[in-house]
Amino acid sequence: MSGGWYRSASFILDKQRNGSVLKAESSPMSPATMATENPQSQQNPNPQISLYYQTRAAHHAVVTSDWLAQAHAAIGRHPEDAVSDNSSLKSAGAEESGNGFSVVDEFNNWRKQPDLAEAVAAIRALASVIRSSQATTMMELEIELKKASDSLKSWDTASISLTAGCDLFMRYVTRTSALEYEDFNSAKSRLLERAERFGEISYKARKIIAMLSQEFIFDGCTILVHGFSRVVLEVLRTAAQNRKLFRVFCTEGRPDRTGLRLSNELAKLDVPVKLLIDSAVAYSMDEVNMVFVGADGVVESGGIINMMGTYQIALVAKSLNKPVYVAAESYKFARLYPLDQKDMVPAL
Amino acid sequence: MWSSKQKFDSVVDEFNNWRKQPDLAEAVAAIRALASVARSSPATTMMELEIELKKASDSLKLWDTTSISLTAGSKSRLLERAERFGEISYKARKIIAMLSQEFIFDGCTILVHGFSRVVLEVLRTAAQNRKLFRVFCPEGRPDRAGLRLSNELAKLDVPVKLLIDSAVAYSMDEVDMVFVGADGVVESGGIINMMGTYQIALVAKSLNKPVYVAAASYKFARLYPLDHKDMVPALRPIDFGVPIPSKVEVETSARDYTPPEYLTFLFTDLGVLSPSVVSDELIQLYL
């Protein structure tokens, strides 16, 4: 796996950003080469550092006096908003700023697409909040966004990826020090651009993950899968389409029968599947080459939160020296740090 | 004088009669049946008796090829030994229950897998001695063994918590010890038990929880599996509740093998033994 950096997600994103300028997709190019090809690029002001890391560096908020002034102005204009924030949250998705736009409706519209992850739908909905916002200052816009984000999060409090997605959206979109120095309209269009970019990244995340995991699946391997993750399904589907020969062990996944649903999908792809009861994982672990799971959330320690049974399978896999791979989109990174199993709000 | 065929059919009938008693383990029933063969045998030499007993035990084995404890039980050759085993097996459960009492302390949490009459006896005795403890039962797919066990324990007023099989690692923090029975104890000191036992023992060992096995000595078998696939599998169909596509295979094995390094102690009627001691005992027994 030499030169793996050019398969890194950040490089792929940069290739997409600097689109048609690149001549050959197959030959790896350093960012410096790219910059000389495209010296007029306005999207990448510092060609030595990839865009991905630049945006991360810009995430540190700077509280300036302008920012504070805008905050006071916003609160002064809508005193009832600040007070009634709590009550408005309860009527999830009620009119925002009186313009009849309901973020929850937008969210539900996006969710009708069966393959779309909840968090991606939320991100798209929040982007449209910006688009249809009638705020005139940055602070108002941020308050609107925060209310919309809260109402989306309260729609399903047990969903870690939804909460994480909304939080990350807020950080990605609003925490940039350059915003205070521009006039509102161009700032707003910049916000919108970033929001839509974040939506695109999240939407394409599954494809990127599927592509990255292909080299880990070799011919003749046996993969153990737990739970029903669309990301993992995408990984396996891509491998099947690339004509790799492998077989899959599916745990039954009590009590949801997720394993049965997954085995259905895999049978359609003509992948050999074997169903195991949850107790038979250790029994079959000898024949397994790797374990693949999705994640509901990725926590700050680097661990994951996933369907019940994942910890058990990972423990067994580790005892028998089998690698455990997790396929998780970056919007699932959550602001949690559980110290033990009982340290989280349980999803019953 | 019966004809051979009649005689050996009657062994199976006798065996079935004994088996109808719900509290009797299969092996004990086999031993009792063989004992009555020996008792009613017209053989005049030890050799004839041995041959008759061997034929009877073979017919029993043919009749039910999937029972490991039956195979171990059928190895008994002498009448006296058969009778002695019969008595000991009843007492074995009592002895095991008594030996395990000091390992159960007030306020402890016990995880139990599968439905073992010996383990039930252990817990019943503990409850009667007014010990305060609670039990976690994994449901034991697909037999629902855990559900049956939780029924029995509820009758004893022992607090029970049912878990899905996947939730064992999640709950293992709160557990103080794991208790299982055994279908068979093998020469390495490991055990053969209901599918899932190996997994639970693995998880318990990773989290430093002791795994105790309650098994009477007639379960000791002349097997030395090197891995899971080294045994004749006992297959059992699994009902998933929904139809599964025809191309999909199912792992239907009902039992797995737990190597001795994952077991802490075995409570047997010969005493509280560590797996290596069990290994020695077995070698002595079959030498």
Side-chain angles (χ1 to χ4, degrees):
Chain A
M1 215 173 55
S2 61
W5 62 269
Y6 64 86
R7 275 188 277 260
S8 71
S10 57
F11 185 78
I12 292 159
L13 291 178
D14 284 341
K15 279 204 298 195
Q16 289 175 355
R17 283 312 115 210
N18 295 315
S20 51
V21 179
L22 294 176
K23 294 185 295 224
E25 295 295 306
S26 54
S27 59
M29 297 206 294
S30 68
T33 323
M34 269 201 296
T36 52
E37 299 266 344
N38 190 9
Q40 313 300 333
S41 169
Q42 285 169 343
Q43 290 167 321
N44 192 351
N46 187 349
Q48 296 304 322
I49 310 173
S50 85
L51 206 61
Y52 181 75
Y53 287 103
Q54 280 181 50
T55 54
R56 277 180 60 191
H59 282 173
H60 304 295
V62 173
V63 178
T64 62
S65 49
D66 291 301
W67 187 86
L68 279 175
Q70 283 189 357
H72 284 131
I75 289 173
R77 190 182 312 215
H78 301 284
E80 69 275 13
D81 275 357
V83 167
S84 66
D85 230 31
N86 289 328
S87 53
S88 73
L89 280 180
K90 292 205 174 84
S91 56
E95 283 91 76
E96 307 292 338
S97 310
N99 62 359
F101 175 79
S102 163
V103 70
V104 176
D105 285 344
E106 182 80 20
F107 175 58
N108 284 327
N109 275 338
W110 278 110
R111 279 191 72 242
K112 284 189 184 120
Q113 296 184 33
D115 248 359
L116 206 62
E118 240 176 30
V120 180
I123 289 161
R124 292 259 159 102
L126 288 172
S128 48
V129 164
I130 300 177
R131 204 178 296 117
S132 58
S133 160
Q134 303 187 340
T136 50
T137 66
M138 194 49 65
M139 207 58 202
E140 265 187 70
L141 184 53
E142 284 194 24
I143 290 177
E144 250 187 77
L145 268 180
K146 177 101 189 18
K147 283 206 311 206
S149 160
D150 286 342
S151 62
L152 282 176
K153 284 197 275 186
S154 65
W155 181 85
D156 180 3
T157 48
S159 172
I160 299 176
S161 65
L162 182 61
T163 307
C166 290
D167 284 344
L168 278 171
F169 178 89
M170 295 299 289
R171 287 186 73 84
Y172 186 86
V173 165
T174 62
R175 300 294 189 99
T176 165
S177 54
L179 286 177
E180 291 93 62
Y181 299 105
E182 304 173 27
D183 70 293
F184 179 70
N185 282 323
S186 54
K188 180 175 165 178
S189 60
R190 280 248 273 144
L191 266 194
L192 193 56
E193 181 197 310
R194 288 165 70 110
E196 291 185 342
R197 193 195 313 167
F198 193 61
E200 280 295 297
I201 292 172
S202 309
Y203 181 66
K204 289 187 181 148
R206 256 182 236 163
K207 288 266 184 288
I208 295 174
I209 292 170
M211 197 191 69
L212 289 170
S213 42
Q214 288 313 298
E215 23 184 306
F216 290 84
I217 299 176
F218 51 88
D219 273 338
C221 71
T222 301
I223 305 176
L224 180 79
V225 182
H226 181 65
F228 187 94
S229 160
R230 284 165 294 192
V231 193
V232 175
L233 184 57
E234 186 66 35
V235 170
L236 298 175
R237 186 182 284 132
T238 314
Q241 283 163 358
N242 291 346
R243 303 201 176 291
K244 293 215 175 175
L245 300 167
F246 61 98
R247 63 171 176 164
V248 178
F249 284 0
C250 276
T251 55
E252 184 193 2
R254 285 273 289 153
D256 305 332
R257 297 193 189 137
T258 52
L260 296 170
R261 282 168 35 209
L262 186 62
S263 63
N264 255 324
E265 296 297 321
L266 289 171
K268 290 180 198 162
L269 300 170
D270 278 330
V271 173
V273 187
K274 190 170 194 183
L275 272 170
L276 316 169
I277 51 174
D278 298 329
S279 294
V281 167
Y283 177 84
S284 324
M285 193 56 86
D286 278 336
E287 303 174 54
V288 165
N289 295 112
M290 64 188 86
V291 178
F292 245 106
V293 293
D296 283 341
V298 179
V299 297
E300 285 186 8
S301 59
I304 58 165
I305 296 173
N306 199 22
M307 175 169 167
M308 175 67 85
T310 308
Y311 175 40
Q312 185 158 291
I313 291 176
L315 213 69
V316 172
K318 177 152 188 171
S319 304
L320 296 167
N321 290 319
K322 309 288 179 182
V324 178
Y325 299 130
V326 179
E329 302 94 313
S330 59
Y331 56 77
K332 288 183 176 169
F333 287 28
R335 298 191 75 175
L336 294 169
Y337 203 110
L339 298 171
D340 61 19
Q341 296 295 328
K342 308 295 191 285
D343 213 5
M344 305 170 286
V345 178
L348 302 171
Chain B
M1 178 92 73
W2 295 332
S3 73
S4 309
K5 183 173 185 313
Q6 271 180 315
K7 190 181 291 188
F8 299 118
D9 281 349
S10 73
V11 168
V12 178
D13 288 339
E14 180 92 22
F15 175 60
N16 281 330
N17 277 336
W18 280 111
R19 264 179 84 162
K20 284 194 186 113
Q21 290 191 31
D23 241 6
L24 210 57
E26 255 178 19
V28 181
I31 290 162
R32 289 260 157 116
L34 288 174
S36 58
V37 163
R39 210 179 295 117
S40 59
S41 162
T44 48
T45 66
M46 196 43 93
M47 204 61 188
E48 269 186 59
L49 181 60
E50 275 197 35
I51 291 171
E52 258 185 58
L53 277 173
K54 179 108 190 20
K55 284 203 218 161
S57 80
D58 284 344
S59 64
L60 275 177
K61 275 196 274 190
L62 273 172
W63 192 85
D64 184 351
T65 50
T66 58
S67 177
I68 291 179
S69 57
L70 189 66
T71 310
S74 305
K75 289 290 181 179
S76 65
R77 296 174 191 284
L78 299 172
L79 175 61
E80 301 89 65
R81 210 180 209 186
E83 300 249 303
R84 198 173 2 130
F85 264 33
E87 281 170 28
I88 281 178
S89 60
Y90 268 126
K91 290 190 186 146
R93 246 180 262 167
K94 290 274 182 261
I95 295 173
I96 291 168
M98 191 193 73
L99 286 171
S100 43
Q101 288 312 299
E102 29 185 301
F103 288 82
I104 299 176
F105 51 87
D106 273 338
C108 71
T109 301
I110 306 177
L111 182 85
V112 183
H113 180 62
F115 187 93
S116 161
R117 281 164 294 213
V118 192
V119 175
L120 185 57
E121 185 65 35
V122 169
L123 298 175
R124 187 182 286 133
T125 313
Q128 284 163 357
N129 290 345
R130 302 200 177 290
K131 295 213 177 181
L132 300 168
F133 61 98
R134 62 172 178 163
V135 178
F136 283 0
C137 278
E139 62 167 337
R141 282 276 287 154
D143 306 335
R144 299 199 192 137
L147 294 169
R148 286 185 287 143
L149 185 65
S150 61
N151 254 328
E152 296 295 323
L153 288 171
K155 289 180 198 162
L156 300 170
D157 279 329
V158 173
V160 186
K161 191 173 191 182
L162 272 171
L163 320 165
I164 51 172
D165 296 327
S166 291
V168 168
Y170 176 84
S171 327
M172 193 54 89
D173 277 337
E174 305 173 51
V175 165
D176 293 303
M177 64 188 87
V178 178
F179 246 105
V180 292
D183 283 345
V185 179
V186 295
E187 283 187 9
S188 59
I191 58 167
I192 294 171
N193 198 24
M194 175 171 169
M195 177 64 83
T197 307
Y198 174 38
Q199 184 159 290
I200 291 178
L202 212 101
V203 172
K205 177 153 187 169
S206 304
L207 297 168
N208 290 318
K209 309 288 179 182
V211 177
Y212 300 132
V213 178
S217 56
Y218 59 80
K219 300 225 170 129
F220 290 15
R222 291 196 85 168
L223 292 170
Y224 204 108
L226 299 171
D227 62 21
H228 290 290
K229 309 298 189 273
D230 216 7
M231 306 173 289
V232 177
L235 301 176
R236 154 204 67 193
I238 301 178
D239 175 25
F240 286 103
V242 291
I244 51 177
S246 50
K247 283 187 282 185
V248 174
E249 279 181 65
V250 181
E251 175 62 67
T252 48
S253 178
R255 281 198 291 251
D256 62 17
Y257 162 64
T258 306
E261 51 264 26
Y262 298 102
L263 307 173
T264 317
F265 282 131
L266 286 95
F267 297 114
T268 69
D269 43 317
L270 304 171
V272 179
L273 311 169
S274 68
S276 48
V277 172
V278 166
S279 189
D280 290 344
E281 282 286 331
L282 271 170
I283 291 170
Q284 269 184 11
L285 203 63
Y286 289 118
L287 217 57

